[in-house]
Amino acid sequence: MPELPEVQTVANHIKPYVIGKYVLSINPIWDKVLDNFHHQDIKGRNKILDVTRRAKFIIINFEKFLIAVHLRMTGKLYVLEGTDIPKHTSAIMELESGEKLIFEDTRKFGRIYKYDDLMLINEKHGPEPLEDDFTSEWLLTNFKSRKRNIKALLLDQSFLSGLGNIYVDESLWASNIHPNSISCYIPKKKIIILHKNIREILSESIEQLGTTFISFTFLNGQSGNYSNELKIFGKQGAPCIKCSNTIEKIKVAGRGTHVCSKCQKIHK
DNA sequence: CCATGAACCTGGTCGC
DNA sequence: TGCGACCAGGTTCATG
């Protein structure tokens, strides 16, 4: 599930259930899940002050530290209903209220981190695409100063936070830019359009509670509806809605990539 | 500085 | 039905 809109949706969803409550412990079920700390480092009862998002991390804020949860490919974070612990549970956070916050992760790539503050995460991540410091001027300057494959660059979290395979493909298609373009050769006009499209697509997806696929319902019957809005991702073989050319699936930057070769021009 | 491929894992799908 | 190959919305590391 996990690009910016999905992570934001999870953080928004969990927040009202846990805010103001006390965490007693974090139990690793899969032994590698706690990346940079030991479960015994969590002492006593710790009050959850807030649940937020930075990049693709869900940030659980406590008074003296924070817990950052990265869902990677298949992670899910939710308050358990009932008593059966799901098969692929990676970790369980026990609340004083008796509730359990479950980190379920089929492929076990997800990790939980403990930090004093956001410093270390901020150092390794680019701007938030929906914040004011992500401007078209910034994007222009930083595209021109690099000579990189555009898709690889947009996926690079140290460059820009939060985009993943779905939203990069959608943003590039909306901007008529081929994913094999080189950043410094993309015309200014298209960079400005791309900037606008990234923000619009992410905002719209957050409103729709993100993209989830048919087989996965979110929680309490809620599911993300942005899957209905996808224009290019997963549409290989179908006609492009702008030009009716057949959408292809190719490999770019090591990832499956959806492209309309008629609409999307290669700048290189 | 940049690109590529492997590694980390499990499960679903597709072709034979 | 069975089986192998390949794929998956992410990130990191080694190598050239």
Side-chain angles (χ1 to χ4, degrees):
Chain A
M1 327 175 14
E3 299 178 43
L4 187 154
E6 291 74 36
V7 177
Q8 184 70 57
T9 300
V10 173
N12 291 346
H13 187 267
I14 286 175
K15 179 172 166 171
Y17 288 91
V18 302
I19 198 163
K21 294 183 181 173
Y22 290 85
V23 169
L24 300 180
S25 63
I26 302 180
N27 303 323
I29 307 300
W30 168 250
D31 60 7
K32 298 178 188 170
V33 70
L34 306 183
D35 189 277
N36 67 344
F37 69 107
H38 195 272
H39 70 93
Q40 290 167 349
D41 297 339
I42 308 291
K43 300 180 181 74
R45 48 203 290 281
N46 297 281
K47 187 179 185 178
I48 297 177
L49 302 182
D50 202 0
V51 181
T52 55
R53 180 193 59 76
R54 169 70 172 108
K56 295 177 189 170
F57 294 88
I58 297 155
I59 309 293
I60 304 174
N61 297 277
F62 297 89
E63 284 172 72
K64 293 183 177 170
F65 61 95
L66 63 82
I67 292 293
V69 179
H70 201 301
L71 305 174
R72 295 286 178 96
M73 299 284 270
T74 54
K76 297 169 190 170
L77 187 69
Y78 57 90
V79 177
L80 183 66
E81 292 177 5
T83 51
D84 295 342
I85 305 299
K87 182 179 178 189
H88 296 294
T89 299
S90 259
I92 303 174
M93 283 185 227
E94 308 265 3
L95 303 185
E96 195 174 57
S97 61
E99 292 161 302
K100 294 177 182 6
L101 194 53
I102 296 288
F103 183 37
E104 187 186 341
D105 186 19
T106 308
R107 289 177 71 182
K108 299 185 170 74
F109 290 170
R111 293 292 183 271
I112 301 177
Y113 306 80
K114 178 176 180 280
Y115 294 117
D116 291 337
D117 52 47
L118 283 174
M119 273 275 289
L120 288 174
I121 290 179
N122 285 337
E123 277 173 14
K124 292 179 181 170
H125 289 79
E128 285 290 330
L130 296 177
E131 295 290 317
D132 292 342
D133 58 347
F134 176 62
T135 62
S136 53
E137 291 76 21
W138 180 90
L139 197 61
L140 190 58
T141 306
N142 287 283
F143 271 13
K144 295 296 178 188
S145 65
R146 291 169 174 82
K147 195 170 183 173
R148 286 188 65 184
N149 172 282
I150 183 68
K151 174 151 182 170
L153 185 56
L154 292 174
L155 287 171
D156 183 345
Q157 300 296 298
S158 69
F159 177 73
L160 181 64
S161 294
L163 293 182
N165 210 26
I166 294 178
Y167 297 104
V168 168
D169 281 8
E170 291 292 322
S171 300
L172 290 175
W173 174 83
S175 311
N176 295 334
I177 299 168
H178 194 286
N180 268 327
S181 297
I182 304 300
S183 59
C184 62
Y185 300 132
I186 299 172
K188 177 176 178 177
K189 203 174 160 186
K190 280 200 178 175
I191 296 176
I192 292 169
I193 291 169
L194 175 63
H195 170 264
K196 180 175 76 71
N197 281 328
I198 288 171
R199 291 168 68 106
E200 285 183 2
I201 287 168
L202 293 176
S203 302
E204 177 63 18
S205 182
I206 290 172
E207 280 184 36
Q208 299 293 324
L209 306 177
T211 298
T212 49
F213 292 112
I214 309 158
S215 58
F216 177 68
T217 51
F218 206 64
L219 256 199
N220 313 333
Q222 278 194 77
S223 65
N225 291 319
Y226 196 76
S227 11
N228 300 329
E229 306 299 322
L230 297 175
K231 306 293 194 295
I232 189 108
F233 188 89
K235 306 290 187 188
Q236 60 272 28
C240 170
I241 61 169
K242 286 193 288 197
C243 76
S244 74
N245 182 47
T246 303
I247 293 168
E248 303 160 57
K249 187 170 183 187
I250 60 175
K251 189 150 262 185
V252 178
R255 311 293 300 277
T257 298
H258 311 80
V259 61
C260 171
S261 55
K262 199 169 167 186
C263 289
Q264 295 176 261
K265 189 175 177 217
I266 304 189
H267 302 279
K268 63 193 304 180

